[in-house]
Amino acid sequence: MVDSVADNLLQNALAKLAEDPSVRVRAELAFSDSVEIRVVDSGRAVEPDVARALFQGPLASRSGGLGIGLYHAARHASAHGFRLSLERNR
């Protein structure tokens, strides 16, 4: 489960980087009592209406994708007792 969620988050960050080479991406993976995956990028914030709908269902993506990646990752994480969230939107 961790690898598929991490893969989706990293693929999204790489797509943003391909769109704008000046974007910087940082990824962190921590194990303690639980697993924490954090991906941070310097790209533009997600539009507020999109941010509210993230993880709730498929969303059209700017990159032309099907828009189901984050939804699928969130469902997968939830099925294993984890939560996927947008921690900060700057």
Side-chain angles (χ1 to χ4, degrees):
M1 185 282 307
V2 172
D3 58 338
S4 65
V5 172
D7 181 61
N8 183 272
L9 297 174
L10 292 172
Q11 289 298 325
N12 286 348
L14 289 172
K16 196 177 266 192
L17 180 60
E19 216 177 88
D20 180 357
S22 69
V23 168
R24 295 295 168 247
V25 175
R26 184 179 77 235
E28 301 172 8
L29 177 63
F31 293 94
S32 59
D33 292 337
S34 66
V35 177
E36 184 175 316
I37 302 168
R38 179 172 290 154
V39 179
V40 179
D41 68 65
S42 65
R44 63 182 175 213
V46 177
E47 296 161 12
D49 56 329
V50 173
R52 283 188 294 277
L54 278 178
F55 318 118
Q56 306 303 311
L59 293 172
S61 69
R62 287 189 304 241
S63 65
L66 297 175
I68 61 172
L70 286 176
Y71 172 63
H72 177 72
R75 300 280 299 171
H76 195 93
S78 179
H80 289 86
F82 296 95
R83 180 178 52 90
L84 191 59
S85 65
L86 179 62
E87 190 172 292
R88 289 188 206 112
N89 189 24
R90 300 186 270 179

